[in-house]
Amino acid sequence: MPPHRVSIFDTTLRDGEQSPGCSMNLTEKVRMAKKLQDLGVDIIEAGFPVASDGDFAAVRAVAAQCRHVKVAALCRTAELDVARAAEALKYAAHPRIHAFVATSDIHLEHKLKKTRAQVIEMTRAAVRQARDYAEEVEFSAEDATRSDVDYLCEVLDVAVDAGASILNVPDTVGYTTPMEFTRLVQQVRERVVRDKDVIISVHCHNDLGLAVANSLAAIEAGARQVECTINGIGERAGNASLEEIVMALHVRADRLPFETGINTKELYPTSQLLSSIVGFDVQPNKAIVGRNAFAHEAGIHQHGVINNPLCYEIMTPESVGVPANSLVLGKHSGRHALSLRYMELGYDITAAELDAAYTSFTNLADRKKRIYDQDLISLLGAVTRERAA
Ligand code: KIV
Ligand code: ZN
């Protein structure tokens, strides 16, 4: 990997799915995984196989059907966990086992009920076991940002010795700040990685609304993998949002000269697909993919944008896949406009599906002034479900 290439590790199907109301069935996970592969993510974390048979089956199915991307399975540092992850990844083209254990005293004392020495031994054993199954092993020190840094570095050192080549430094509770996190990543780099062929990864939660800022700070400090989710879904306030990190790197390449493999034009369609699967919309003012992200309401702004979009737009809607065509769909719109909008949203629908969707669309348009893309996706979802039943 060139030194300025940042790997995008997508955990929408694992950490993202842990957010209330975001669970997905196997078919939905595979559909989402294929979209993530097309988006250009480097790694898809497809689930936590020991947690349930459903997760196990999902990891297996994603690994079988997504052959151009790395597929990761999460496990704790317990023998059965590692074995289940390995089993689920058995037929993956590019498998990665992702083992984690907490390193903060608060977690050791109140959750794991283990001593520091025991956690070191658990780390060593789990990473070694994982390496027996997979070439690529990632180790995460859960709650790293609230861990004693000397102890954290000791555990990470053991993980590297045992064969981990990716070290993840999670801000599990969304507690750190950009400058503090910069320092932590620098310390891991200087004290653990040094000249070894090991990648530092970060995984930031958004409890203080700093997940993206912390991830970007970490990249500047030397992290070369970021863990994130579409629409920022995830435990509690969510994970760092993939689309925000990617577009910050893209738009501010002057200050952040790093590359990803993401096809930015797929960001909006991917976000829309996730919303339709989990059944809830992104907040309207969400950066990059929210309904209002490119809407200019004030007259003075509209005037500026009409004269030159650069007055108020730092990126074009097209660059993130928001349909350029701002045709407003309403009760007078025809079948052709509807079919075009579905194409722009990335849906390849049959004539029969279009007929059924059009009937529902005209009914809805009688009741609703404006029809949004999300409405169209929900309509289509209902149509395909009805046809499958
Ligand atoms: O937030 C966290 O620490 C995690 C780990 C399992 C990586 O999700
Ligand atoms: Zn997490």
Side-chain angles (χ1 to χ4, degrees):
M1 283 264 179
H4 286 85
R5 175 68 157 71
V6 174
S7 293
I8 300 293
F9 177 114
D10 181 279
T11 184
T12 307
L13 301 180
R14 199 279 297 169
D15 214 325
E17 209 220 5
Q18 286 172 218
S19 41
C22 284
S23 55
M24 296 172 231
N25 64 33
L26 186 123
T27 317
E28 291 166 339
K29 281 194 176 178
V30 170
R31 190 155 167 232
M32 195 62 216
K34 287 183 175 165
K35 192 78 175 161
L36 291 168
Q37 180 174 253
D38 293 345
L39 175 66
V41 307
D42 299 279
I43 305 107
I44 296 175
E45 185 164 58
F48 189 179
V50 84
S52 70
D53 290 344
D55 256 40
F56 181 89
V59 173
R60 218 174 219 201
V62 169
Q65 298 201 42
C66 298
R67 314 296 293 169
H68 307 295
V69 66
K70 293 181 181 179
V71 177
L74 185 69
C75 57
R76 289 167 299 191
T77 49
E79 223 175 302
L80 177 66
D81 276 52
V82 180
R84 277 305 266 174
E87 182 66 21
L89 289 172
K90 202 159 159 191
Y91 304 108
H94 310 283
R96 178 186 291 185
I97 297 181
H98 178 193
F100 78 98
V101 68
T103 49
S104 65
D105 287 334
I106 187 162
H107 277 235
L108 263 63
E109 208 177 305
H110 299 283
K111 186 184 80 174
L112 298 176
K113 309 211 183 302
K114 300 278 181 206
T115 63
R116 286 185 173 194
Q118 284 173 314
V119 165
I120 290 200
E121 282 322 308
M122 287 157 68
T123 301
R124 195 189 322 273
V127 174
R128 277 192 186 149
Q129 185 194 349
R131 273 304 303 272
D132 285 343
Y133 294 116
E135 191 54 35
E136 200 165 83
V137 174
E138 169 171 341
F139 173 75
S140 282
E142 190 191 10
D143 208 16
T145 51
R146 293 192 303 167
S147 303
D148 168 51
V149 69
D150 293 334
Y151 178 62
L152 172 67
C153 288
E154 201 182 330
V155 177
L156 293 178
D157 245 333
V158 167
V160 173
D161 276 352
S165 54
I166 302 101
L167 293 180
N168 188 31
V169 184
D171 184 26
T172 303
V173 290
Y175 179 70
T176 198
T177 64
M179 288 200 24
E180 182 184 64
F181 204 38
T182 296
R183 186 72 205 113
L184 182 61
V185 171
Q186 278 168 348
Q187 291 201 61
V188 170
R189 202 174 153 190
E190 285 156 15
R191 294 170 60 175
V192 183
V193 175
R194 294 191 295 269
D195 58 354
K196 299 188 193 89
D197 198 10
V198 166
I199 292 169
I200 300 179
S201 167
V202 290
H203 173 114
C204 297
H205 278 270
N206 205 28
D207 300 66
L208 293 173
L210 292 172
V212 170
N214 288 333
S215 305
L216 295 175
I219 292 172
E220 288 196 275
R224 288 295 175 268
Q225 175 180 290
V226 281
E227 305 197 353
C228 43
T229 59
I230 298 296
N231 297 343
I233 65 169
E235 279 280 0
R236 306 180 310 279
N239 288 65
S241 136
L242 181 151
E243 54 279 4
E244 292 177 23
I245 295 176
V246 166
M247 288 315 286
L249 297 180
H250 193 78
V251 173
R252 294 312 309 273
D254 56 329
R255 296 300 300 253
L256 298 161
F258 304 99
E259 282 167 20
T260 70
I262 298 294
N263 172 3
T264 63
K265 289 197 158 87
E266 283 293 326
L267 287 171
Y268 183 71
T270 310
S271 157
Q272 292 282 303
L273 177 64
L274 179 66
S275 294
S276 73
I277 287 177
V278 297
F280 61 80
D281 300 350
V282 292
Q283 72 200 61
N285 60 329
K286 164 87 174 60
I288 320 293
V289 292
R291 188 166 74 222
N292 294 343
F294 296 94
H296 304 278
E297 175 76 28
I300 196 165
H301 284 210
Q302 288 182 342
H303 183 212
V305 168
I306 288 165
N307 287 347
N308 184 343
L310 286 177
C311 290
Y312 287 102
E313 279 182 5
I314 58 168
M315 60 196 134
T316 62
E318 297 80 25
S319 68
V320 298
V322 171
N325 180 346
S326 54
L327 267 184
V328 175
L329 288 176
K331 63 191 288 183
H332 304 294
S333 306
R335 201 177 292 256
H336 185 68
L338 184 65
S339 136
L340 192 68
R341 179 59 58 94
Y342 275 128
M343 264 162 58
E344 286 168 345
L345 289 170
Y347 291 90
D348 186 12
I349 62 173
T350 62
E353 282 166 345
L354 178 63
D355 279 347
Y358 187 69
T359 307
S360 316
F361 163 75
T362 46
N363 288 338
L364 184 66
D366 270 337
R367 288 178 274 123
K368 219 168 163 234
K369 267 204 184 116
R370 252 197 99 172
I371 310 281
Y372 293 104
D373 290 345
Q374 245 116 25
D375 296 319
L376 299 182
I377 290 165
S378 308
L379 283 183
L380 191 61
V383 163
T384 18
R385 272 196 299 278
E386 243 167 56
R387 292 171 63 78

